[in-house]
Amino acid sequence: MKALDGVKILDFTHVQSGPTCTQLLAWLGADVIKIERPGGGDATRNQLVDVEGADSLYFTMLNHNKRSLTLNTKHADGKAALEKLVAACDVLVENFAPGALDRMGFSWERIHELNPRMIMASVKGFGPGPYEDCKVYENIAQCAGGAASTTGFRDGPPLVTGAQVGDSGTGLHLALGIVAALLQREKSGRGQRVFAPMQDGVLNLCRVKLRDQQRLAHGPLREYSQFASGEHFGEATPRAGNDSGGGQPGRVLKCKNWEKDPNAYTYFITQEAVWKNICDLIGKPEWRDHPDYATPKARLPRLNEVFEAIEAWTMTKTKFEVMNLCNPLNIPAGPILSMKELAEEPSLRASGTVVEVEHPKRGSYLTVGCPIKLSDSAVEVTRAPLLGEHSEEILREVLGYSKKEVAKLVESGAV
Ligand code: CAO
């Protein structure tokens, strides 16, 4: 048994934000029916192609455990089939450009009329306001949601991050909304709309930066290295490089071989509780009780000097040696791991977070499995579907179409 057994999802999503959400729901046990336009399907099937003739990794890594139904929802017969699917399913998830679903004839009002228990979940770039009609991709969301203005170094331009907080982050928000709406439906008997704008999702993930925006009114942000360097703070939360945002200052520090290996770095946190251990470890026992260094407050104007001393020590060790020496002393530190190292990490393979999947057209490839572990709902990652692979199966099983009716739909171009 799986957590979402019995939940049928009409997956109208494409690219990344929506597919992340429905993939997660599929891993939790929902039956996810991905509806794609006949001919090409989700545009990502053919983007960043690495194996000629096979669906790209972009597509396969975001659409595991789903079934694919091709349906031209602008064709009268396709529309009729979609109406029946809406009546037969529990959730419709979409991330079309604003207005596309309405133009297709499937407004929320129409969907609610067809199936009052249906939950309709949408990702858009922006919520109501001046930009609500705009198309949005990952990096635009990162920029409009506050991530870019607070990422990077002070003397450089705003930076987007490798973590897809706009797409995958919003997909996660949407998935939570859907599960909550399913729970509420148990009591109310009614479906509802679930809406996750990407700008809002990114801002939610940048919550601590809005915290700092308000703290600025009360003086400089003392834990930012900008303060230790005596640099002026402007009106908005500045970019903080690799400073840790919390009350326990941390930085990225060089490790042995940093000149040759771009990832020979560690993240090191000067946690208050273990300050004395840090002093002993880096060979600065005189800082243990010295009034200029012994308390976090006293250290704040001296953070550059403190981290230079720690780095002088980390540069004599590999990032893994740093981890191994810090751990027994309860000092929080972590290696900067490359994608290569993560792909090869045995513990991530063992936990099912990095999974090898077989695909008929591309052979075996690696993917990220379900990062959420439920003790009573095991996840088995299966490959993404080929375009229209389950069309006949779904039309017959979910809608009760006969073989002849399916053939007619195919002939008309609706499937
Ligand atoms: N049958 C018939 N038509 C279909 C169909 C189907 N099965 N599936 C999609 N279509 C049609 C849509 O109805 C739409 O038609 P109209 O424009 O004529 O109404 C058309 O295909 C294109 O859909 P779209 O506008 O969503 O796609 P796009 O490539 O132009 O834009 C994107 C892509 C991502 C910018 C846009 O969908 C968007 O802004 N989505 C919301 C935000 C989002 O999720 N962004 C994250 C994407 S990942 O970075």
Side-chain angles (χ1 to χ4, degrees):
M1 189 185 167
K2 302 263 169 76
L4 295 182
D5 264 351
V7 175
K8 276 203 173 345
I9 297 192
L10 269 188
D11 180 11
F12 248 134
T13 68
H14 64 157
V15 200
Q16 185 183 162
S17 64
T20 314
C21 165
T22 49
Q23 177 171 259
L24 206 53
L25 299 173
W27 281 334
L28 297 180
D31 177 12
V32 176
I33 299 170
K34 182 163 175 116
I35 301 181
E36 297 180 82
R37 210 190 323 223
D42 188 327
T44 59
R45 285 188 185 269
N46 295 307
Q47 284 173 7
L48 312 176
V49 168
D50 57 325
V51 176
E52 232 18 83
D55 290 324
S56 70
L57 285 170
Y58 195 1
F59 176 82
T60 50
M61 289 179 71
L62 284 158
N63 290 285
H64 293 102
N65 296 59
K66 303 181 185 178
R67 299 197 280 171
S68 168
L69 162 69
T70 49
L71 201 61
N72 181 349
T73 53
K74 288 183 175 166
H75 186 291
D77 294 342
K79 237 182 202 127
L82 181 58
E83 285 186 356
K84 288 187 184 148
L85 281 165
V86 169
C89 292
D90 300 284
V91 186
L92 183 151
V93 192
E94 60 95 19
N95 68 314
F96 289 128
L101 206 59
D102 288 357
R103 288 194 291 278
M104 212 186 267
F106 289 89
S107 62
W108 160 239
E109 290 71 27
R110 178 71 184 130
I111 285 168
H112 195 60
E113 185 182 59
L114 289 167
N115 180 357
R117 284 177 59 81
M118 169 67 77
I119 290 156
M120 176 175 154
S122 306
V123 169
K124 298 284 170 265
F126 294 94
Y131 308 119
E132 62 188 312
D133 293 329
C134 298
K135 286 184 175 179
V136 166
Y137 282 102
E138 170 69 50
N139 288 350
I140 297 175
Q142 287 198 25
C143 292
S149 71
T150 52
T151 303
F153 289 93
R154 285 191 299 288
D155 54 359
L159 269 192
V160 294
T161 72
Q164 306 284 283
V165 294
D167 278 338
S168 291
T170 307
L172 280 165
H173 283 90
L174 193 72
L176 179 60
I178 291 169
V179 172
L182 280 167
L183 253 180
Q184 190 174 352
R185 195 180 71 171
E186 296 284 302
K187 291 170 255 166
S188 72
R190 277 194 319 277
Q192 61 181 302
R193 284 200 78 167
V194 179
F195 182 36
M198 295 166 80
Q199 181 185 43
D200 306 38
V202 173
L203 181 58
N204 182 35
L205 298 174
C206 290
R207 180 171 292 263
V208 298
K209 299 296 178 180
L210 185 59
R211 173 201 67 193
D212 291 350
Q213 179 63 41
Q214 296 171 85
R215 290 172 60 229
L216 261 180
H218 304 283
L221 305 171
R222 301 166 74 90
E223 77 283 10
Y224 281 52
S225 48
Q226 184 167 342
F227 175 70
S229 306
E231 286 174 62
H232 173 70
F233 280 82
E235 287 185 344
T237 307
R239 292 190 268 289
N242 288 314
D243 296 346
S244 79
Q248 313 286 350
R251 300 241 180 119
V252 166
L253 303 177
K254 292 169 184 159
C255 293
K256 203 177 190 168
N257 203 28
W258 66 273
E259 301 91 334
K260 293 194 187 124
D261 177 355
N263 293 307
Y265 289 85
T266 187
Y267 202 89
F268 195 104
I269 296 183
T270 52
Q271 196 205 12
E272 181 181 356
V274 290
W275 172 247
K276 291 187 176 174
N277 289 353
I278 295 170
C279 296
D280 292 343
L281 185 69
I282 66 169
K284 287 277 187 192
E286 66 275 20
W287 281 357
R288 288 170 58 111
D289 301 307
H290 192 292
D292 286 348
Y293 300 92
T295 65
K297 196 165 175 214
R299 286 195 292 276
L300 284 175
R302 299 177 179 79
L303 281 183
N304 289 342
E305 183 195 354
V306 166
F307 279 111
E308 271 164 31
I310 300 172
E311 190 169 57
W313 177 79
T314 58
M315 282 166 72
T316 66
K317 310 273 178 284
T318 70
K319 60 188 178 187
F320 298 110
E321 286 167 347
V322 170
M323 182 83 166
N324 292 340
L325 289 164
C326 286
N327 255 340
L329 300 173
N330 273 333
I331 301 168
I336 306 303
L337 295 180
S338 68
M339 274 300 144
K340 182 172 186 298
E341 286 164 331
L342 288 164
E344 292 164 359
E345 171 57 40
S347 63
L348 291 174
R349 300 283 184 117
S351 69
T353 295
V354 174
V355 188
E356 207 162 317
V357 182
E358 274 302 320
H359 188 275
K361 297 206 172 162
R362 61 165 37 260
S364 152
Y365 65 95
L366 277 191
T367 196
V368 184
C370 186
I372 306 167
K373 318 293 181 192
L374 276 72
S375 65
D376 218 7
S377 182
V379 174
E380 187 204 337
V381 179
T382 60
R383 71 168 170 82
L386 304 175
L387 181 61
E389 184 175 349
H390 307 95
S391 293
E392 177 166 351
E393 174 185 306
I394 292 164
L395 290 169
R396 297 189 63 180
E397 173 203 300
V398 182
L399 299 186
Y401 282 26
S402 66
K403 222 175 166 69
K404 217 167 163 186
E405 284 171 310
V406 173
K408 207 169 139 232
L409 277 179
V410 174
E411 203 178 306
S412 72
V415 167

